Amino acid sequence: MRAMSELSRKLLHGSNRDAPAHDRIGNVDPETRATVTVYLRGTEPPPGRLSREEYRAAHGAAEADVQAVRQFAAEHGLSVGDINLARRSIELSGPVGSIASAFEATVALYRSPGGGTYRGRVGALTLPAELDGIITGVFGIDERPQAQPHFRFRPRVTLAPLSTQYSPPQVAAAYSFPMGLTGSGQSVAIIELGGGFREDDLSDYFSSLGIALPSVHAVSVLKGENHPGTPDGPDGEVMLDIEVLGSVAPGATISVYFAPNTDQGFIDAVTTAVHDTTRQPSVISISWGSAESTWTEQAMQQMEQAFAAAAAMGVTVTVAAGDNGSGDGVKDGLAHVDFPASAPHALACGGTSLQLSGAGQILTETVWNDGTGGGAGGGGVSVVFRVPPYQQSVNIPQSANPGGKTGRGVPDIAGDADPNTGYTVRVDGETMTVGGTSAVAPLWAGLIALLNQSLGQSVGFLQPFLYSAAGMAALHEITSGSNGAYSAHAGWNACTGLGSPDGTDLLTALKSRPSTSLSAS
């Protein structure tokens, strides 16, 4: 078999990376072992509903493409690890020097915020001409932290005049989640990029609510582990996700996919959950992300492809829209939206501030924005993705940035996220009040598990229905407040999307539709 031409190289589209923001401290030892995940092209499915097995057979990676990557690996002294045709992924391992040479990557060591070091790269990757168009993404050469968890602890001393806290079932009741359902028979995935959970905390928490302990399992991706540490770390994210989801859908089986906080870890965790033929989740909840400007184009497109595959298989993906208002934590004075919430096949979850009566009814619901730098719901207009078909009828505005264009609007829907009207949770032996759009993604994931149980099938890609007249009628419009550059108003807005749920009305509306309408449209 002839060797691939190294004289004719092609840039890997979308692979360019800016230098990390942290200090460069030296060169990478070329003999250090590393593993990268290579993703391959595939055909995208038409509208409809496929099983995971059908998807793999019709739209997985081609054997010829796999063989081409095998040859490339052999020529560069790299070993081939896991091959997953459904995920269209191949793991390649070897010395960093060999991996960098294979893809012409410029790498160095950088100082991480926590005091350690990580490997980063600058510039674009290249491929032999024969692999141009076959390989769509290469992840793992760069190990910089990619995402932040979107949760906020309420300060122990708060100046908010209407500060309060609720259990997740209280919020679910206020949003009229359908009664008599537990999510039984449903499998739900949670993606985590750090932290962990303690069985004792979960047992104590659910016992305090009078709810049976849900079935919770850890799944390792790229050697990621359930590794609880301290309450002020990512454990707060992990426990918030599990406790919100588990208390509104206690009959569901919850699988927590732990992966490293890199673009490789994030994408691999999502594709593993989407194509998991053992646990077969019908809902995936994601509470991590960062501004679109911090991602490579290849990473964003790879993640969106994974979400599109999920839609084709009837899997709903709920994603937190961010906790830093319209700027999304970027210090350039411009508006930014959070990714992966901005992916068109993500159900982007924005944040509100919720005040309930003594009887548990909604008194007021406004955009979450504490106005003092303590947090605000993310939202805005994507600069990467075009307006998707399901948003064509809601008049997405131009970006608030100078010369801004119109793109995918974020979020789609919303729910209580204000730490001052937050959720009582238990983290590392402490009971505390937590908010953030991180709470909204598992809240909606729990609601969808209930809907799936009642309907006897998964709702799957829910956005086209939510943006229909029947879907919008099952949501509470939020018309007051601002997240910075954008203000709430009647109809869809870039703070809270279409609004917060009326779960019972949503179920009734879904039941009135023919079953064939629940598809990957």
Side-chain angles (χ1 to χ4, degrees), residues 164 166 171 174-175 352-356 362 364-365 416 418 421:
T164 187
Y166 311 114
V171 176
Y175 288 144
T352 70
S353 181
L354 181 69
Q355 291 290 338
L356 303 182
I362 297 176
T364 63
E365 190 167 20
D416 183 31
D418 185 349
T421 63

Side-chain angles (χ1 to χ4, degrees), residues 23-43:
D23 292 337
R24 184 185 188 279
I25 59 173
N27 297 322
V28 176
D29 180 351
E31 296 304 314
T32 301
R33 301 286 296 183
T35 298
V36 298
T37 306
V38 174
Y39 281 87
L40 308 180
R41 66 186 174 184
T43 59

